[in-house]
Amino acid sequence: MKTVDTLNMLLISTIVQATLCLTALASPVSNGTQSVDDNNVYECEPRLHDFDSLGAWFDGVAAINCTNSHDDRRKDATIAIVGAGLSGLMTALLLDSVGVHDWEIIEASGRVGGRFRTKYVGGTDEWAEMGPMRLPYSITYKDGETLEYTEHRMVFQLVDLLNEMNNNDPKLKVDFTPWIQHHPNELLGLGTARHPDGRIPTRAEVEANAALGRPAPLNTQEYKDTKSRMDNMLKHKDVLKSVQRDVWRAHKAAMDHGLDDWSQQSMMRNVFKASENVTDAIWTASDYDVFWDEIVHNSNLAQDGSSSSLGLTDWKCIDGGFNRLSDAFLPHISDRLHLNRKIRKLESIQDSSNLTLTRLSWFASSSNRTLISKDYTYTIMAVPFTMTRFMQLHKFSSVLTRATSEAGLRFKSACKVALLFSTRFWEHGSCPIFGGYSTPPSAAIGALYYPVYGLNESRPGLIMHYRGASWGEEFVSLSDDEHVQMVLDAIVSLHGEQARDLYTGDYERLCWLQDPHTGTAWARPDVMQHRLYIPAYHTTEANTVFVGEHTAPTNAWASSAVYSAVRGAVQVLLEMGRVEEAKRINRVWMGRWVGM
């Protein structure tokens, strides 16, 4: 047992020490193929893969001491951006910001926004987010310290920029409003005890009386000891604070100290020597296999202010829905946007002067299988790998091929159903609910979210069912009607038959596995895939760069899409020899929030 404890503490201490040293000097980096000194600036050939892809690569870019290349063939390049989701839109905006205007966005669908999917239901002003619905803003710890999530500040910076570019036009302006993640009166019906009169307890009641809460799956000393050891790694305050201050250096530390090499199950079984039963009980209570994902997405963000949490996370959402953010790009990209053009083939070719180009091809129509092609100097692929797998691609390196293939980076789905009610009955009575989400007794339904806008007004309202991970795949087998009725039954189990009477019959349903232009909800990396695949995304092959939230260290959220676009824009600018422009983007977007 002493060996186990020593290894556990070693992992914790090394991660903490590495991630807290955020102000330390960056490691020596290559700044190109030409040597430099303090008094002279030379033309050189830096590439993004010269720098630390697993950590603070932006420090290496900032340190480049080179002039732009004089190769006009590359400086005057044409660029294809495949995909008009947030990462594609952001890439275009970044290129424009430094005077690179010869780009086109090619989008398979008839709209922009990708997985932003705001729906107004039943001809009302009630909007449902079928895609992203909230953004983490800050966390206040119980010791009184408040930290902003610096990674997510990039999204707020983008909104400020777009509002300025659009002169705060009310039709285009993006405003944030508070998101209520939890409300004291939300009902917790899944696995909890009941009041003597049979009532389902509220969140506040469970917090005040643990006997009403959901019991742990096991009650043995081995379970308690193993759970404590896992929590010491996953919920260590110093580690979480380092993630919030600088997720990129925290990622590097986690990779360097082996957390990408262990699944949580392997750690419990092989290091903590836990039994199969205890290992399974702890792991199945979580969403993730990999330590980094568990730390970043659950431990980092799921701070609900309860007695067992370290603090309280403050959230925001976009007033009117996330599609307002993607629509705010339209005045600036619509003249170079091609909709309903689904790329089927990407080739690397040589032109008459032996310059490498990318050739993109698409069918004339769904019935006319004649390929139409166009050549570009560079292609930036801003679509998830679930879509590139349907394309005939250039033969990339073995690592990049595996990363993009069905055997490589894994993805998960999600399903959402929004039901419209003629009144907001949940906001009335002796125990009103304003925002937050309830959990019905049905394990299949999971969470039922209440609207965070229009509170206490005389208006209709939506209740949103959300289920992800494997449930997001299993719900695909249901018809719309069956899925809707299951959700309605779950709402009735919490709120009584009045809910059935007040349901208008209007709904929206979306299972992302069925979406023809994404086929996924988010990326879910497996063990060792970060250390192996992320450097491959930083290496440009066949004049092609891959961006998108799936290529970011955080693998989810709007911030991952924005970050990946910054990385991709810097990457292609360095390939073009436009060093000064790459450094300008790097300075504006990667230098502002990191390490606050």
Side-chain angles (χ1 to χ4, degrees):
M1 187 60 69
K2 184 176 181 180
T3 302
V4 173
D5 291 339
T6 301
L7 181 53
N8 183 24
M9 293 308 300
L10 177 62
L11 283 167
I12 294 172
S13 62
T14 51
I15 293 167
V16 172
Q17 290 170 15
T19 53
L20 287 180
C21 295
L22 300 182
T23 58
L25 293 175
S27 301
V29 294
S30 164
N31 52 16
T33 58
Q34 174 69 50
S35 62
V36 299
D37 60 40
D38 293 336
N39 301 315
N40 298 286
V41 179
Y42 298 94
E43 181 181 343
C44 60
E45 298 291 330
R47 295 292 186 270
L48 195 68
H49 63 250
D50 293 333
F51 311 119
D52 185 4
S53 58
L54 295 176
W57 57 266
F58 39 87
D59 283 349
V61 174
I64 296 173
N65 196 17
C66 304
T67 63
N68 281 353
S69 167
H70 296 297
D71 185 350
D72 290 335
R73 296 182 306 168
R74 288 190 295 153
K75 288 178 65 177
D76 298 329
T78 58
I79 302 170
I81 302 170
V82 182
L86 182 57
S87 58
L89 297 171
M90 181 68 180
T91 302
L93 193 73
L94 291 169
L95 294 175
D96 256 7
S97 73
V98 292
V100 177
H101 305 300
D102 200 357
W103 51 259
E104 297 176 349
I105 299 178
I106 303 167
E107 167 59 36
S109 73
R111 55 180 291 278
V112 301
R115 279 167 280 182
F116 288 173
R117 203 67 59 90
T118 306
K119 294 289 186 179
Y120 284 78
V121 185
T124 69
D125 292 331
E126 306 303 303
W127 44 273
E129 295 286 30
M130 309 308 289
M133 54 186 177
R134 64 194 186 277
L135 292 168
Y137 183 77
S138 65
I139 179 172
T140 299
Y141 284 94
K142 290 178 179 176
D143 62 10
E145 183 176 11
T146 296
L147 295 176
E148 291 186 354
Y149 291 100
T150 53
E151 172 205 354
H152 297 275
R153 288 298 301 170
M154 300 176 77
V155 182
F156 296 96
Q157 178 181 345
L158 169 62
V159 167
D160 289 341
L161 174 63
L162 286 169
N163 285 339
E164 180 182 349
M165 293 174 67
N166 291 327
N167 299 312
N168 289 304
D169 181 347
K171 294 181 180 179
L172 296 168
K173 193 169 187 294
V174 180
D175 291 311
F176 291 101
T177 189
W179 170 272
I180 305 170
Q181 180 72 357
H182 289 291
H183 188 270
N185 291 338
E186 61 193 25
L187 298 167
L188 305 182
L190 182 60
T192 54
R194 298 292 183 263
H195 289 289
D197 60 2
R199 287 185 299 112
I200 293 173
T202 67
R203 175 179 170 83
E205 289 169 338
V206 169
E207 182 67 20
N209 181 5
L212 289 171
R214 192 174 181 177
L218 296 175
N219 193 32
T220 65
Q221 191 61 45
E222 181 198 357
Y223 172 85
K224 294 175 183 177
D225 290 344
T226 306
K227 183 72 164 60
S228 177
R229 288 192 175 103
M230 292 295 287
D231 285 347
N232 284 338
M233 298 185 69
L234 295 169
K235 298 178 182 179
H236 194 288
K237 185 184 294 185
D238 289 335
V239 171
L240 297 187
K241 286 182 177 180
S242 73
V243 170
Q244 291 143 14
R245 290 188 176 102
D246 187 338
V247 72
W248 299 279
R249 287 186 176 88
H251 179 261
K252 172 67 171 177
M255 298 300 104
D256 283 351
H257 297 289
L259 283 195
D260 200 41
D261 300 332
W262 293 86
S263 68
Q264 293 188 61
Q265 303 95 304
S266 292
M267 180 68 74
M268 286 185 278
R269 286 289 289 140
N270 298 310
V271 178
F272 298 157
K273 303 302 181 184
S275 66
E276 293 93 338
N277 193 25
V278 166
T279 298
D280 184 70
I282 295 174
W283 169 66
T284 53
S286 170
D287 288 331
Y288 299 93
D289 295 328
V290 181
F291 273 95
W292 172 250
D293 279 344
E294 178 71 21
I295 291 171
V296 171
H297 295 297
N298 277 359
S299 303
N300 180 37
L301 299 175
Q303 304 298 325
D304 59 5
S306 64
S307 58
S308 60
S309 69
L310 299 174
L312 179 65
T313 298
D314 179 37
W315 302 79
K316 296 186 184 297
C317 61
I318 293 178
D319 192 12
F322 269 80
N323 271 130
R324 289 193 63 84
L325 175 53
S326 51
D327 289 347
F329 285 88
L330 286 172
H332 314 288
I333 58 97
S334 56
D335 60 332
R336 288 159 287 176
L337 171 66
H338 302 284
L339 299 175
N340 300 304
R341 182 178 292 182
K342 193 166 191 175
I343 298 302
R344 299 291 186 175
K345 191 175 184 180
L346 183 152
E347 303 170 84
S348 176
I349 65 169
Q350 302 291 319
D351 69 3
S352 57
S353 61
N354 208 33
L355 183 69
T356 299
L357 302 175
T358 57
R359 173 168 293 169
L360 298 179
S361 303
W362 60 94
F363 291 128
S365 69
S366 58
S367 57
N368 183 347
R369 312 304 279 179
T370 302
L371 278 176
I372 301 173
S373 300
K374 186 171 182 178
D375 298 342
Y376 302 87
T377 316
Y378 297 97
T379 291
I380 299 175
M381 298 294 289
V383 294
F385 296 153
T386 48
M387 292 295 104
T388 63
R389 291 167 187 168
F390 286 101
M391 303 176 189
Q392 182 180 339
L393 298 179
H394 167 81
K395 185 174 177 57
F396 294 108
S397 67
S398 175
V399 172
L400 189 54
T401 296
R402 294 199 306 276
T404 58
S405 74
E406 69 280 4
L409 189 64
R410 298 182 180 185
F411 291 83
K412 291 292 183 180
S413 187
C415 286
K416 288 188 175 183
V417 173
L419 304 188
L420 180 67
F421 297 88
S422 58
T423 65
R424 298 187 172 195
F425 54 83
W426 54 89
E427 295 183 359
H428 307 145
S430 61
C431 206
I433 302 172
F434 299 100
Y437 64 85
S438 292
T439 55
S442 168
I445 295 302
L448 295 169
Y449 286 84
Y450 304 99
V452 299
Y453 56 89
L455 302 179
N456 232 356
E457 296 179 6
S458 297
R459 59 187 292 172
L462 294 167
I463 294 182
M464 167 80 75
H465 151 68
Y466 167 70
R467 210 67 166 103
S470 61
W471 281 108
E473 299 163 6
E474 289 152 15
F475 272 116
V476 172
S477 65
L478 302 185
S479 66
D480 280 8
D481 182 64
E482 186 176 7
H483 197 167
V484 165
Q485 289 304 316
M486 282 185 65
V487 175
L488 182 57
D489 289 343
I491 295 171
V492 169
S493 73
L494 293 173
H495 295 286
E497 286 295 330
Q498 65 165 334
R500 204 180 304 276
D501 297 334
L502 296 172
Y503 173 49
T504 66
D506 297 299
Y507 69 87
E508 287 288 341
R509 178 186 185 237
L510 177 58
C511 287
W512 283 95
L513 202 62
Q514 295 175 306
D515 186 85
H517 304 296
T518 59
T520 186
W522 66 84
R524 179 64 58 83
D526 210 337
V527 175
M528 296 185 294
Q529 289 189 337
H530 267 203
R531 176 174 288 281
L532 181 63
Y533 292 160
I534 288 181
Y537 309 143
H538 285 235
T539 301
T540 304
E541 298 184 24
N543 285 17
T544 302
V545 173
F546 289 89
V547 300
E549 65 177 48
H550 50 292
T551 68
T554 45
N555 293 118
W557 303 94
S559 59
S560 299
V562 172
Y563 160 81
S564 78
V566 175
R567 187 265 302 164
V570 169
Q571 186 170 340
V572 78
L573 287 169
L574 292 180
E575 296 289 336
M576 293 168 63
R578 303 192 70 154
V579 176
E580 294 159 16
E581 289 86 345
K583 292 186 68 173
R584 194 184 316 162
I585 288 175
N586 188 65
R587 182 172 61 252
V588 170
W589 290 94
M590 296 307 300
R592 186 172 180 183
W593 303 112
V594 175
M596 289 179 59

